């Protein structure tokens, strides 16, 4: 779907705000499971608002259209604590192009956003194999850089039914 060009990537994830990390890991795992099951991954955003996680998909005809729809959704989400935008893309590393499910996002007023992903390969039979751990891809645009948290709730998005503190495998999640 979209590209993210980087010089290199690493499994070392720098300090990412806890709320953002939980959102990114959650949506990245959801996307990985969809791709692994052979389903098409429609780009989507996740908004963490108080103790809820809201999802909205962004089908579009162009890469620019997907990013514009995600940015619009996030800009309308005053009151969100963090957001993530997830898509099936690729990274370019050392003269190689690697397929990757990518989640990028940010927090209100938090400076640069962050992008993480699962690099994957598709074999000749169509079977998909993912790296076992997410990879830090790099900084990303932060659609919430000028937003403030806790202003008012977002409307017209679909709830995922899970709260950010229940996200499996995320730091601080209930075991």
């Amino acid at each position: 779907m979209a590209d993210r060009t980087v010089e290199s990537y690493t499994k070392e994830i720098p300090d990412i705000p806890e709320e953002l990390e939980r959102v990114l890991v959650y949506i990245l795992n959801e996307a990985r499971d969809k791709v692994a099951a052979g389903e098409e991954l429609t780009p989507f955003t996740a908004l963490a608002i108080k103790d809820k996680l809201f999802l909205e998909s962004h089908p579009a005809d162009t890469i620019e259209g997907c990013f514009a729809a995600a940015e619009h959704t996030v800009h309308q989400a005053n009151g969100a604590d963090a957001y993530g935008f997830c898509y099936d893309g690729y990274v370019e590393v050392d003269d190689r192009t690697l397929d990757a499910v990518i989640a990028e996002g940010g927090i209100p007023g938090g400076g640069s956003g962050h992008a993480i992903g699962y690099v994957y390969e598709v074999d000749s039979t169509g079977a998909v194999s993912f790296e076992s751990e997410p990879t830090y891809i790099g900084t990303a645009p932060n659609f919430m850089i000028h937003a403030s948290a806790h202003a008012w709730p977002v409307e017209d998005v679909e709830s995922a039914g899970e709260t950010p503190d229940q996200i499996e495998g995320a730091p601080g999640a209930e075991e």
Side-chain angles (χ1 to χ4, degrees):
M1 198 245 33
D3 64 70
R4 168 84 47 208
T5 302
V6 293
E7 299 286 323
S8 64
Y9 70 99
T10 177
K11 290 185 181 187
E12 294 295 319
I13 298 176
D15 289 334
I16 297 175
E18 188 175 321
E19 182 77 10
L20 175 58
E21 186 173 351
R22 283 196 304 259
V23 170
L24 294 178
V25 169
Y26 178 80
I27 65 175
L28 193 60
N29 287 338
E30 290 290 311
R32 177 199 59 200
D33 294 348
K34 231 178 197 209
V35 171
E39 299 174 30
E40 182 178 341
L41 177 62
T42 301
F44 66 97
T45 51
L47 299 167
I49 302 173
K50 296 188 183 194
D51 63 347
K52 301 261 188 243
L53 190 62
F54 298 88
L55 303 176
E56 182 174 345
S57 58
H58 303 291
D61 294 332
T62 66
I63 293 168
E64 295 81 12
C66 287
F67 278 90
E71 186 170 11
H72 177 76
T73 295
V74 172
H75 283 168
Q76 299 302 311
N78 289 326
D81 300 308
Y83 84 93
F85 174 50
C86 193
Y87 53 91
D88 190 3
Y90 62 90
V91 293
E92 292 179 4
V93 180
D94 301 328
D95 299 327
R96 296 180 304 150
T97 299
L98 305 172
D99 290 319
V101 175
I102 299 170
E104 57 183 66
I107 60 171
S112 292
H114 296 277
I116 62 173
Y118 279 114
V119 173
Y120 68 90
E121 292 183 3
V122 180
D123 69 17
S124 60
T125 66
V128 180
S129 59
F130 285 89
E131 288 188 346
S132 61
E133 296 292 322
T135 298
Y136 183 77
I137 294 173
T139 59
N142 181 358
F143 298 156
M144 290 185 134
I145 196 163
H146 300 294
S148 60
H150 310 298
W152 58 78
V154 71
E155 298 177 14
D156 300 327
V157 292
E158 175 186 329
S159 173
E162 294 190 61
T163 60
D165 63 340
Q166 294 172 328
I167 297 171
E168 183 180 326
E174 296 175 13
E175 301 286 327

